[in-house]
Amino acid sequence: MAALHGQQNTFFIPSSVEQEMLKHMYTSLPQEACGVVLGEAAAGGIRISRFQPIRNVAPNPLHHFSLDDAEWIRCVFNEPQLIGIFHSHPRTEPVPSTQDLIALQAYARLLQVYLIGSPNLTVRSEQQMHLNGYQIQSDLDCDSKTDQQKLYHLQPSQLCVT
């Protein structure tokens, strides 16, 4: 996975996976929802194949998310196609917050994809989600640094729902 950090990719998401994330997000309201996405790098982008919800154990889940440690560890060791993370912003736009960027440093070296969803609360008849994708990238001048010394940031990526 590390070889792809820094390359720009399109994220291909089946509509069924997007619907699973949407359902989990709306079920979790008013709290932030979170989980992991599974998939693989492929020619021309990253293909996401599955969403796995994870319990949000943040002390203030209305405004933050924290993956349940046991569920996260189980995914890291049992899911060979672990490729990214999803969480929601129930009341704000799906863009990374300062807290998101701070928390990213703890697990970024394991992942490539960072998805944020926000409910479209203006549409009353049907549940909809604004979904933004970001590729996790390490700082360019960090080749000589160890993984623990590298800093990671998020680069907006194109989403293609199929």
Side-chain angles (χ1 to χ4, degrees):
M1 280 192 287
L4 291 175
H5 279 277
Q7 294 179 4
Q8 187 66 18
N9 283 302
T10 298
F11 302 155
F12 297 94
I13 304 173
S15 60
S16 60
V17 172
E18 182 192 40
Q19 288 301 309
E20 289 175 33
M21 290 187 288
L22 178 138
K23 181 179 176 183
H24 181 58
M25 179 184 66
Y26 272 92
T27 302
S28 299
L29 286 174
Q31 299 180 357
E32 287 196 17
C34 55
V36 296
V37 290
L38 304 146
E40 59 189 352
I46 294 175
R47 300 201 180 281
I48 295 170
S49 58
R50 209 171 98 215
F51 170 66
Q52 176 65 51
I54 293 183
R55 193 166 54 97
N56 182 355
V57 295
N60 183 1
L62 294 175
H63 303 286
H64 301 289
F65 82 98
S66 180
L67 300 169
D68 177 81
D69 286 342
E71 293 179 44
W72 166 248
I73 290 168
R74 193 169 23 259
C75 286
V76 168
F77 287 104
N78 294 331
E79 296 292 351
Q81 292 187 317
L82 177 63
I83 202 159
I85 196 163
F86 165 82
H87 80 281
S88 65
H89 287 179
R91 290 168 204 77
T92 61
E93 293 297 314
V95 296
S97 67
T98 302
Q99 183 63 36
D100 292 340
L101 296 173
I102 291 168
L104 173 70
Q105 306 309 311
Y107 49 78
R109 68 182 181 87
L110 299 173
L111 306 171
Q112 297 176 51
V113 174
Y114 196 93
L115 301 174
I116 305 174
S118 293
N120 182 352
L121 300 175
T122 61
V123 178
R124 298 291 178 206
S125 61
E126 182 180 329
Q127 294 180 343
Q128 292 184 351
M129 172 174 60
H130 298 291
L131 183 65
N132 283 343
Y134 302 88
Q135 183 159 16
I136 298 170
Q137 296 183 336
S138 61
D139 287 342
L140 298 175
D141 298 328
C142 293
D143 290 337
S144 63
K145 295 182 178 182
T146 66
D147 278 343
Q148 292 181 352
Q149 293 173 318
K150 288 183 181 178
L151 292 177
Y152 295 88
H153 63 276
L154 298 172
Q155 179 68 37
S157 292
Q158 182 177 353
L159 294 177
C160 181
V161 178
T162 58

